[in-house]
Amino acid sequence: MAPPKVVTDNNFERLELLLNNLSADVHNISSKLDLVEAKLATMDIDEIKLNLTSLKEENNLLKDELATLKLDADERDQYARRNNILVHGLPDSGNPDSDRRTIESILTDLSVPSHMIDIVHRIGENHPDKIRPILVRFLGHSPRQQIFNRANMKKIPKDIYFSDHLTKQRVNLLAKLRSLKSAKLIYSASTFNGNVIARISDNGKRLTIRSLSDYQRLKSKVSGAEILPPGDVANINQPRASDTTQPNTTQPRRTGTRKSNRVDSLTRGVE
């Protein structure tokens, strides 16, 4: 049997040195792990931030695309109404044939051919305190334009007036502009050829308001809530790509008072 090994002080010193070295190695590894964890945590936060930024950009793009699609749909809807006109103020007899005869009589007074009438009917819900307008659809665009051109030149009862047949979006935009006019922030709110028009001052340029963003930009400008870059309001009327797919039905601008009367005839009872 071999004799037992004798543990000397030298052996203890070597063992202590080995343990110290091992402890140092463990400490170094632990420190490195802490650094790695901190780096990984930082990378995760940055990645999350990057994903959030990407999602926000994608969301904004989708919002822009949706707004463009809504605007295109609204313009197509309004274009489909290009031969329509609304007649306001005629008492509702409840008889469609009587309404048609009345419309034909009015057209005769305006020297507009009644044989161009396609459809005549009331629109909107019955209400005891409100007279529903009459929708008149023509077989072409010219009779509608003739009515607007001659409405102020003939003896039409004051209670009877004509307006564009607007889409729901444009009706809402016109109502918002009328609120600005009531607050005396703009000079006028009207329509022309199915477009919603605002003028900031009497001699100001006519601004076509096509969307809610157009209205908000105009409101910011006239209320002083936001300082916009020069020409920003004018940019409301920059042509869009979809505009080129439709014929330009806007009449040439006229000089003198007749031009103003003609535009105002579109909005009697509106402004």
Side-chain angles (χ1 to χ4, degrees):
M1 182 175 180
K5 292 184 178 180
V6 179
V7 180
T8 63
D9 292 339
N10 188 36
N11 289 335
F12 276 113
E13 291 175 0
R14 291 177 59 188
L15 181 59
E16 185 178 7
L17 179 61
L18 181 62
L19 290 174
N20 288 337
N21 290 336
L22 182 60
S23 177
D25 291 337
V26 170
H27 178 73
N28 290 335
I29 292 174
S30 178
S31 298
K32 289 181 179 179
L33 285 175
D34 290 339
L35 291 174
V36 170
E37 288 178 356
K39 187 174 182 180
L40 287 174
T42 303
M43 289 178 63
D44 288 341
I45 292 174
D46 290 341
E47 184 177 358
I48 291 173
K49 290 181 178 179
L50 181 61
N51 288 337
L52 285 176
T53 301
S54 177
L55 288 174
K56 287 180 180 179
E57 292 177 351
E58 183 178 358
N59 186 46
N60 289 334
L61 288 175
L62 290 174
K63 285 182 178 179
D64 290 342
E65 290 179 3
L66 179 59
T68 299
L69 289 174
K70 286 183 176 180
L71 188 58
D72 288 342
D74 176 74
E75 290 185 348
R76 291 177 183 275
D77 188 4
Q78 188 62 55
Y79 182 67
R81 304 174 185 222
R82 66 192 182 279
N83 295 337
N84 299 356
I85 194 171
L86 295 183
V87 183
H88 305 264
L90 289 175
D92 193 344
S93 63
N95 187 340
D97 292 335
S98 176
D99 288 340
R100 186 180 184 98
R101 287 193 297 269
T102 302
I103 293 299
E104 290 176 349
S105 176
I106 292 175
L107 295 184
T108 299
D109 291 340
L110 295 174
S111 300
V112 177
S114 60
H115 69 272
M116 290 294 290
I117 295 177
D118 183 20
I119 295 173
V120 175
H121 64 82
R122 299 271 177 175
I123 62 173
E125 298 180 357
N126 282 312
H127 195 282
D129 299 327
K130 184 178 180 180
I131 300 177
R132 295 183 300 162
I134 297 177
L135 168 64
V136 182
R137 176 177 296 170
F138 294 99
L139 296 174
H141 191 65
S142 60
R144 174 186 176 281
Q145 292 304 109
Q146 291 172 10
I147 290 175
F148 284 138
N149 292 343
R150 301 169 186 175
N152 283 345
M153 304 176 188
K154 302 289 182 178
K155 295 181 179 180
I156 300 297
K158 292 183 179 180
D159 293 337
I160 299 175
Y161 62 95
F162 310 93
S163 72
D164 287 313
H165 184 205
L166 300 177
T167 63
K168 183 177 180 180
Q169 175 172 304
R170 301 190 185 205
V171 169
N172 292 335
L173 288 174
L174 182 59
K176 291 180 179 296
L177 290 180
R178 289 172 62 189
S179 296
L180 292 183
K181 182 180 182 298
S182 297
K184 298 183 178 180
L185 293 176
I186 62 175
Y187 177 75
S188 68
S190 60
T191 64
F192 184 65
N193 278 339
N195 295 314
V196 179
I197 307 295
R199 280 198 300 171
I200 297 177
S201 61
D202 184 7
N203 297 322
K205 181 180 178 181
R206 291 173 185 159
L207 304 174
T208 302
I209 309 300
R210 295 186 175 93
S211 64
L212 182 59
S213 61
D214 286 349
Y215 163 77
Q216 290 171 339
R217 290 163 62 192
L218 175 64
K219 182 180 179 181
S220 297
K221 179 69 174 179
V222 298
S223 64
E226 179 181 357
I227 303 300
L228 300 179
D232 204 24
V233 172
N235 288 337
I236 290 174
N237 292 312
Q238 290 298 319
R240 301 173 63 258
S242 60
D243 292 339
T244 60
T245 63
Q246 301 177 5
N248 181 11
T249 58
T250 303
Q251 295 292 324
R253 300 186 66 180
R254 302 182 182 181
T255 59
T257 58
R258 180 169 296 179
K259 174 199 67 176
S260 299
N261 292 336
R262 180 167 169 265
V263 174
D264 292 340
S265 70
L266 305 186
T267 57
R268 262 178 58 190
V270 174
E271 286 196 350

